[in-house]
Amino acid sequence: MPRTVDAPKRAVNLSVNSKVLDMAKELGINVSATVDALLTAEVEKRYWERWNERNRQAIEDYNARIEREGLPLAAYRSFAKED
């Protein structure tokens, strides 16, 4: 996923429920920071969902190969060995 942490802020106009906005202000909620965090989480979720869907066939093929042939260099693993 492209890095978003250091991106500059940009002003936007949003329409939100007026009662919820009033309550948020009353509760001392930073609306801008909250929307930014929630939107970031949603974008990341959808980005990875789309990535997984676009790469689904490659992932399935890789998993089938590992199932069929085993892990590369598995003989050299010093952990998780069955006795």
Side-chain angles (χ1 to χ4, degrees), residues 3-74:
R3 236 179 110 85
T4 59
V5 176
D6 300 328
K9 302 288 184 183
R10 182 174 12 165
V12 297
N13 292 323
L14 296 174
S15 296
V16 296
N17 181 306
S18 61
K19 289 184 180 183
V20 172
L21 181 60
D22 291 342
M23 290 173 68
K25 288 182 179 183
E26 192 176 299
L27 293 168
I29 295 173
N30 181 330
V31 175
S32 181
T34 302
V35 169
D36 192 37
L38 292 170
L39 185 57
T40 298
E42 185 66 20
V43 166
E44 288 177 358
K45 176 181 162 244
R46 290 186 188 202
Y47 175 89
W48 289 114
E49 285 172 353
R50 186 170 62 177
W51 187 93
N52 278 305
E53 182 55 35
R54 287 180 176 174
N55 291 283
R56 180 181 50 78
Q57 188 61 52
I59 293 167
E60 288 175 2
D61 292 346
Y62 175 79
N63 287 336
R65 186 179 124 220
I66 296 304
E67 185 72 29
R68 188 175 58 250
E69 300 172 14
L71 290 171
L73 306 175

